[in-house]
Amino acid sequence: MFPFSPVLRSLRRGSLVAAVTAAVTLTAWPALAASPTTPATPTVTSGSLSPSPSHTPNPVVSPFRGPLAEPCPGAADEHPTPALTGPPSSQPTTPADGPIGGPAMDGSGVIVGAGAPTAPNITASSWVVADADTGEILGAKDPHGRFLPASTLKTLTAVTLIPRLDPCAIYTATPADLHAECTCAGVAAGTAYRIKMLFTAMLIYSGNDAANTLAGAYGGIDKTVAAMNAEAHYLKAYDTTAGTPSGLDTPGERSSAYDLALIARAGLAMPDFASYVSTRHVLFTMPKGKTQTLFTHVKLLPNYDGAIGIKNGFTIAAQATYVGAATRNGHTIIATLMHSTVGTAVWHEDAALLDWGFAAEGKATPVGQLVEPDLPPIPTTAASSPASSAAGAALTSSSASPVVTKETVAALASRKASSAGGVSVAVPLTVAIVVVVAAVVAFFSLQRRRRRRSMTIERALRF
């Protein structure tokens, strides 16, 4: 409430200047003297790049890497070039040239080279063991056999989207993002998440909701699936056709143990991917400001010496699928398998393949090769990533991806702070002007009263 007493005291003393000064000082000083407050972080929703209206509550923000006001370490400076356009511009190796990876990769039985130990007897219909550093395939079984990938397809989702999305950007999940059969990490519509938290939840907890939400952040499931298929073609993973970001069974979706090894090798070349898949647990935001701890579903990670992790998968139609990797004695081995019938014990079969790979390393003659990616296409303006766009362009473009970069968030916060600062000063000054006008009117009214009273007293004295 405005303190009128000093103003009234000045008026009674007949000092207009003092009254005006008191009114202005008492009204404007709290706003002018107050220290600047930290502006609220703008709420970035999937439908707008503008701060939410004042009546819209800010979403609950994940605590992953701290609240939005705190710095968030960005992505690694460099990633392998993704297939930003499709199809790739050059295809020196195609299925028409023969089996990808070498002539021996055409076999459907167990394939091992001279000097190799006896291959493990496991239930998987298809598997590949390869050296991640050299790309040499140490052994395989039906490497190009095409099977349903289940959640191991999330490795392709990650390899596709990691270079395209700013890990520090904020995305608010929508109800449409959550139309997925669970396993679910607990993504809640209306809650904001850092992109890196969604990647972590997708890869360690196999969150189908996290996979779909990442797709929403990139512009939708159709756009994401198209990018995944372009990325698979770029990697020469010609056995792979993606139908969903999550790997849930859908008509036409498929992959092979060879392709999963290609994708895993591409992922391990990305520091962010390697960090995500080796995470054992993480706090994840839940509704009403609560959190829960997500623990990795990749049992290989806590149970195998030198394990890097990567990804497990299971559906009734696909049976158990697995992509595992481990590092020992300076060598990283990748072991992929598909259509295993042992269910949740599938990680034991992958561990057996890794053991065999470390035993064969340097002793067995390689039977094939994980081919290198295609020559990168020439990026076009239309294919540029929204995460690399300038803040101004993101604010003015109507076709930009729903996710904004940290630069855009900072620009929005600055704009909101400027607006809020103007309002915080303008309102008290307006009140001050009103008070000053009222004080002037009251002053002259008081002066007229005094003159009338003086005249009345003077007349009475004359008579």
Side-chain angles (χ1 to χ4, degrees):
M1 183 176 179
F2 180 78
F4 285 97
S5 300
V7 179
L8 294 177
R9 284 197 299 269
S10 299
L11 288 172
R12 291 192 188 101
R13 293 169 184 165
S15 175
L16 175 62
V17 174
V20 172
T21 302
V24 172
T25 301
L26 291 171
T27 306
W29 178 254
L32 297 174
S35 59
T37 57
T38 302
T41 302
T43 301
V44 182
T45 66
S46 62
S48 172
L49 293 178
S50 301
S52 296
S54 58
H55 63 273
T56 302
N58 285 336
V60 177
V61 178
S62 77
F64 192 64
R65 293 287 188 179
L68 298 187
E70 294 182 7
C72 171
D77 292 337
E78 296 183 1
H79 285 303
T81 304
L84 292 178
T85 60
S89 60
S90 176
Q91 297 177 352
T93 304
T94 68
D97 299 329
I100 305 298
M105 295 293 98
D106 198 27
S108 58
V110 174
I111 308 162
V112 296
T118 303
N121 182 21
I122 60 176
T123 68
S125 298
S126 174
W127 54 264
V128 164
V129 176
D131 186 315
D133 304 310
T134 65
E136 294 177 342
I137 296 175
L138 305 175
K141 177 183 178 181
D142 194 12
H144 286 295
R146 296 177 178 180
F147 300 89
L148 290 169
S151 285
T152 54
L153 191 67
K154 290 183 175 81
T155 57
L156 178 60
T157 308
V159 167
T160 301
L161 295 182
I162 283 173
R164 292 166 165 86
L165 295 177
D166 180 356
C168 290
I170 308 303
Y171 178 74
T172 301
T174 70
D177 297 330
L178 308 183
H179 291 167
E181 180 183 337
C182 289
T183 305
C184 290
V187 176
T191 299
Y193 301 89
R194 288 202 190 278
I195 291 299
K196 59 168 54 184
M197 170 172 259
L198 295 172
F199 275 123
T200 306
M202 177 183 74
L203 289 169
I204 76 166
Y205 200 75
S206 204
N208 296 332
D209 52 354
N212 281 6
T213 304
L214 284 167
Y218 185 58
I221 287 180
D222 290 344
K223 180 181 177 182
T224 300
V225 168
M228 291 168 65
N229 286 317
E231 190 75 17
H233 209 66
Y234 162 68
L235 294 173
K236 299 194 184 85
Y238 297 127
D239 300 324
T240 299
T241 300
T244 65
S246 63
L248 285 172
D249 300 335
T250 189
E253 189 164 78
R254 63 192 184 191
S255 190
S256 67
Y258 181 91
D259 283 8
L260 291 178
L262 276 182
I263 295 165
R265 189 185 185 207
L268 291 177
M270 299 177 176
D272 292 349
F273 180 97
S275 175
Y276 295 141
V277 298
S278 62
T279 299
R280 298 194 181 192
H281 56 81
V282 68
L283 279 178
F284 193 78
T285 294
M286 302 300 289
K288 299 181 181 179
K290 298 181 179 179
T291 60
Q292 71 170 358
T293 302
L294 301 182
F295 292 92
T296 183
H297 285 189
V298 184
K299 300 301 183 183
L300 191 74
L301 188 59
N303 293 295
Y304 189 83
D305 184 27
I308 297 171
I310 298 189
K311 193 73 197 72
N312 63 308
F314 178 86
T315 67
I316 293 175
Q319 291 295 291
T321 59
Y322 214 92
V323 178
T327 299
R328 291 181 183 175
N329 302 320
H331 289 282
T332 297
I333 301 294
I334 296 171
T336 63
L337 61 85
M338 304 189 78
H339 199 260
S340 167
T341 60
V342 297
T344 57
V346 64
W347 74 270
H348 290 286
E349 292 196 344
D350 202 79
L353 290 175
L354 289 172
D355 284 342
W356 180 87
F358 285 116
E361 180 73 28
K363 301 175 183 177
T365 302
V367 296
Q369 182 73 30
L370 296 178
V371 295
E372 295 299 321
D374 205 344
L375 296 178
I378 300 173
T380 63
T381 302
S384 62
S385 167
S388 63
S389 301
L395 289 169
T396 56
S397 172
S398 60
S399 60
S401 171
V403 151
V404 295
T405 65
K406 53 190 173 185
E407 289 81 8
T408 305
V409 172
L412 293 174
S414 176
R415 187 173 70 179
K416 186 170 183 179
S418 299
S419 174
V423 171
S424 65
V425 175
V427 171
L429 288 179
T430 302
V431 174
I433 292 172
V434 172
V435 172
V436 168
V437 171
V440 171
V441 172
F443 174 79
F444 284 110
S445 176
L446 182 60
Q447 290 293 85
R448 284 196 297 270
R449 280 181 174 180
R450 288 179 175 176
R451 283 197 297 270
R452 289 174 185 171
R453 187 168 60 179
S454 298
M455 291 174 65
T456 301
I457 294 172
E458 186 178 351
R459 289 194 190 102
L461 292 174
R462 288 177 182 176
F463 294 100

